[in-house]
Amino acid sequence: MKVTIRNPRRELEIEGPIRVRDLVSSLGFHRDAVLVIVDGRLVTDDTTITDDADVEIRRVISGGDV
Amino acid sequence: MCRGAPVIDLRQHNAAFCEEHFLRFCRSQVTKTIEKHQMFGPTDRILVAVSGGKDSLALWDMLDELGYTTEGLTIGLGIDNYSDQSTEMTRRFAAERGLALQVVDLAATYGFSVPDAAGRTGRVPCSACGLSKRHVFDQVAREGGFDVVVTGHNLDDEAAVLFGNVMRWQDDYLGRQRPVLAEGDGFPRKAKPLVRLTERETAAWCLLRGIDYVLDECPMADGNNHLAYKELLNTLEERTPGAKQDFYLGFLRQGLRHFEQGSDTARTDLRACEECGAPTSADRCSFCRLRERASTTSVTVELGSTKHPTGATS
Ligand code: SF4
Ligand SMILES: [Zn+2]
Ligand SMILES: [Zn+2]
């Protein structure tokens, strides 16, 4: 399946099926640092992603002296 | 019980939420924060500091949805594409919802951008940027008669700032790290209604509500400790869900009262800045002094008159 990581943008091919939780940790992200969007929908940690899905991992951490 | 499809799990609450219940949860967290800290009421005029990022757009959307009277203010910082994109997204958001938005461009109004200020004064970009933003927000609030300025600081921001303040034991900063700061001495009231929501939650709010926000990070943000603290806290959160919330809300409950809220003695000699009228303890406020050094017109000013040719109004 195609995994797009956003900001900064990066594309990866990862073999499914895989659980959201495992995908996030295998890429080295903290769970509070990302949202996972599968085929345009926000999904929970224990969702299993099938191999034909389109996945976006959106980083949500902002830097700077806000 | 809820039978909607779950979209997000909030481990600190040990539950998965459907879209409807998640949005309801966010609203109730924000309402609770506003009421508990008496941030503002239904008749107050609220100036929302908007950057085009997820937090400020989520905040504006929520306050508008909750029926508050709001106006947005966004500042053109002049940071490459990032600023253009941010202003563009903010304009689009406001236009789609019929919300009033003021745009103040630093370069057009004051003769310098954030990169100019950093390059010409040697100041850290975020410090020059922060000073400029605070100045413009205060001034627009004062001149526009707003009751309060609100910003989109979230739980992760506040926990990271708290961590930094504790690491250096900055008791003066700790005393001022409040979700609401009262107005006084010519400064408007300031409030942070999102301090109970994590940034994952504000991002999810935007996603579910169909809000397009700037995903790119400010290119000048590199090199500060803020991100490192956030990572540390998220590592802790992974092991102990709720750790960030306990740290920050525990500080508000038990820690804050041990620190004084600013030094009142330093404020007794406040007067109006000769140039812009902002409250200051010197002849001119720190923003006007920054502007003099950062803007291209500063050379003529130094050689000739003692006043800038144009007043610093927005
Ligand atoms: S990261 Fe720094 S320079 Fe960039 S917008 Fe935020 S405060 Fe300004
Ligand atoms: Zn539900
Ligand atoms: Zn001034």
Side-chain angles (χ1 to χ4, degrees), chain A residues 6-7 29-35 37 41-46 58-66, chain B residues 7-9 11 54 153 199-200 203-204 207 213 215 217 224 226-227 230-231 234-235 237-238 244:
Chain A
R6 291 191 71 183
N7 67 306
F29 290 117
H30 287 127
R31 70 175 286 290
D32 255 15
V34 294
L35 288 173
I37 302 156
R41 294 184 59 89
L42 193 58
V43 295
T44 53
D45 286 353
D46 54 9
R58 186 180 292 198
R59 304 185 65 220
V60 298
I61 306 295
S62 317
D65 168 28
V66 282
Chain B
V7 293
I8 187 166
D9 17 32
R11 276 204 316 173
K54 64 189 190 316
H153 294 83
E199 45 193 340
R200 185 164 180 264
L207 198 80
Y213 62 88
L215 282 173
E217 276 300 306
N224 60 40
H226 195 63
L227 275 177
K230 282 186 172 180
E231 280 215 37
N234 273 341
T235 303
E237 181 78 23
E238 206 110 314
K244 287 185 288 198

Side-chain angles (χ1 to χ4, degrees), chain B residues 241-313:
Chain B
K244 287 185 288 198
Q245 190 180 296
D246 290 347
F247 178 51
Y248 176 67
L249 296 181
F251 167 71
L252 294 187
R253 244 184 349 259
Q254 285 147 279
L256 184 57
R257 65 186 134 101
H258 299 292
F259 300 94
E260 285 174 37
Q261 179 171 15
S263 49
D264 288 314
T265 43
R267 293 204 142 194
T268 53
D269 62 343
L270 283 184
R271 52 198 136 132
C273 168
E274 285 177 357
E275 227 165 290
C276 73
T280 173
S281 52
D283 292 339
R284 292 190 307 149
C285 73
S286 43
F287 175 78
C288 287
R289 280 178 279 145
L290 172 75
R291 176 167 100 126
E292 182 178 37
R293 294 171 59 215
S295 62
T296 42
T297 55
S298 64
V299 177
T300 39
V301 172
E302 274 164 18
L303 294 175
S305 70
T306 54
K307 284 251 167 111
H308 279 280
T310 53
T313 49

Side-chain angles (χ1 to χ4, degrees), chain B residues 61-291:
Chain B
D61 185 46
M62 280 187 221
L63 294 182
D64 180 51
E65 200 204 21
L66 290 167
Y68 288 103
T69 310
T70 61
E71 191 169 322
L73 169 60
T74 196
I75 303 178
L77 304 169
I79 305 172
D80 311 328
N81 287 334
Y82 170 75
S83 291
D84 295 340
Q85 209 193 344
S86 306
T87 307
E88 181 50 39
M89 289 220 164
T90 306
R91 279 190 202 277
R92 202 184 311 154
F93 173 91
E96 279 167 8
R97 287 161 179 76
L99 293 167
L101 172 69
Q102 282 193 54
V103 181
V104 173
D105 187 75
L106 274 189
T109 311
Y110 300 104
F112 72 94
S113 65
V114 167
D116 290 341
R120 291 179 190 144
T121 71
R123 233 180 139 127
V124 180
C126 291
S127 136
C129 182
L131 170 64
S132 305
K133 286 193 282 201
R134 280 191 298 278
H135 176 84
V136 177
F137 288 130
D138 287 352
Q139 186 154 34
V140 170
R142 202 167 45 239
E143 290 173 2
F146 287 91
D147 297 291
V148 59
V149 176
V150 297
T151 52
H153 294 83
N154 57 48
L155 178 61
D156 293 75
D157 293 324
E158 292 302 300
V161 169
L162 177 59
F163 192 85
N165 288 342
V166 169
M167 282 298 282
R168 292 183 294 275
W169 288 113
Q170 283 175 303
D171 51 357
D172 49 340
Y173 287 0
L174 285 164
R176 265 179 284 137
Q177 203 187 339
R178 294 162 191 265
V180 61
L181 284 174
E183 60 271 49
D185 302 316
F187 291 101
R189 192 186 332 154
K190 306 229 169 90
K192 303 170 181 174
L194 299 188
V195 294
R196 279 172 172 272
L197 294 178
T198 65
E199 45 193 340
R200 185 164 180 264
E201 289 157 2
T202 62
W205 173 278
C206 288
L207 198 80
L208 294 169
R209 294 271 297 161
I211 298 169
D212 252 340
Y213 62 88
V214 185
L215 282 173
D216 289 340
E217 276 300 306
C218 172
M220 313 207 96
D222 302 333
N224 60 40
N225 281 329
H226 195 63
L227 275 177
Y229 294 153
K230 282 186 172 180
E231 280 215 37
L232 280 170
L233 289 165
N234 273 341
T235 303
L236 198 62
E237 181 78 23
E238 206 110 314
R239 299 172 57 124
T240 320
K244 287 185 288 198
Q245 190 180 296
D246 290 347
F247 178 51
Y248 176 67
L249 296 181
F251 167 71
L252 294 187
R253 244 184 349 259
Q254 285 147 279
L256 184 57
R257 65 186 134 101
H258 299 292
F259 300 94
E260 285 174 37
Q261 179 171 15
S263 49
D264 288 314
T265 43
R267 293 204 142 194
T268 53
D269 62 343
L270 283 184
R271 52 198 136 132
C273 168
E274 285 177 357
E275 227 165 290
C276 73
T280 173
S281 52
D283 292 339
R284 292 190 307 149
C285 73
S286 43
F287 175 78
C288 287
R289 280 178 279 145
L290 172 75
R291 176 167 100 126

Side-chain angles (χ1 to χ4, degrees), chain B residues 1-6 13-18 20-21 24:
Chain B
M1 276 313 289
C2 171
R3 274 174 287 135
H13 304 284
N14 208 357
F17 286 67
C18 72
E20 187 197 325
H21 282 107
R24 202 183 290 178

